[in-house]
Amino acid sequence: MWGFEPADSAVAAAALFKENELSKILIPGFGYGRNAKVFTDNGFEVTGIEISETAINLAKKHYGNKVKIYHGAVSAMPFDEEVYDDIFCYALIHLLNAQERIKLIKACYGQLKPNGYMVFVAISKQDKAYAQGKKLSKDRFLSRHGVKLFFYDAASVEKEFGKYGLTEVKEISEPAKNTENKSAQIFWQITCKKKALPV
């Protein structure tokens, strides 16, 4: 659907993780693996979680055994006993309701190694889709495509991620360069770091 060109935020996350010598990554909401390529190309050990069997089959055709993918909903995390150096979650969390969002953040943080990073990319209230469609609750709307979207602002980012080692929050446009066939969307890129355990 979006080709195999990774999102700009995935490229930025890979650079951050590499700079910190982290290489074992979990990608909840793996899809067909569009954003995994930048990680596999950089030698990361990649594990994904994906609810769509069709997407998993596409990913397996593309990646073979290079990635491990669990079939299921992120609400069922954890799927293994592993802890990961880093977690990258792109354009998934805003599809969930309040309880599901909190559960996902907590589950990801629980599978993160001390000194590990997690990066979430979530739609912003500054995006043109905000307040389009039927209002379901505060900042949550049913889009014309039948998708439930929660739009974040700085306060809701702080409220949901604040106690999970929030280190950086910035608004970004994806794609960074406007292309003819893709109109840019406005997202928050949310970075958290898990504190090292006291010695």
Side-chain angles (χ1 to χ4, degrees), residues 24 26 29 36-37 59 62 74 77 93 96 105-107 144 150 161 173 176 188:
K24 186 177 178 182
L26 177 65
K37 189 174 186 317
H62 190 75
V74 293
M77 284 176 71
I93 195 161
L96 308 177
I105 297 164
K106 193 175 177 183
R144 61 192 172 91
F150 176 76
F161 291 89
S173 286
W188 288 99

Side-chain angles (χ1 to χ4, degrees), residues 71-85:
H71 177 229
V74 293
S75 58
M77 284 176 71
F79 284 86
D80 58 29
E81 301 297 310
E82 297 289 328
V83 283
Y84 294 88
D85 295 331

Side-chain angles (χ1 to χ4, degrees), residues 83-121:
V83 283
Y84 294 88
D85 295 331
D86 31 63
I87 291 169
F88 182 69
C89 188
Y90 183 83
L92 167 70
I93 195 161
H94 53 245
L95 302 173
L96 308 177
N97 67 32
Q99 291 95 329
E100 290 167 337
R101 294 194 306 272
I102 296 302
K103 189 169 188 266
L104 175 61
I105 297 164
K106 193 175 177 183
C108 286
Y109 195 75
Q111 285 200 266
L112 198 61
K113 279 183 184 171
N115 289 320
Y117 284 87
M118 57 185 195
V119 174
F120 283 78
V121 178

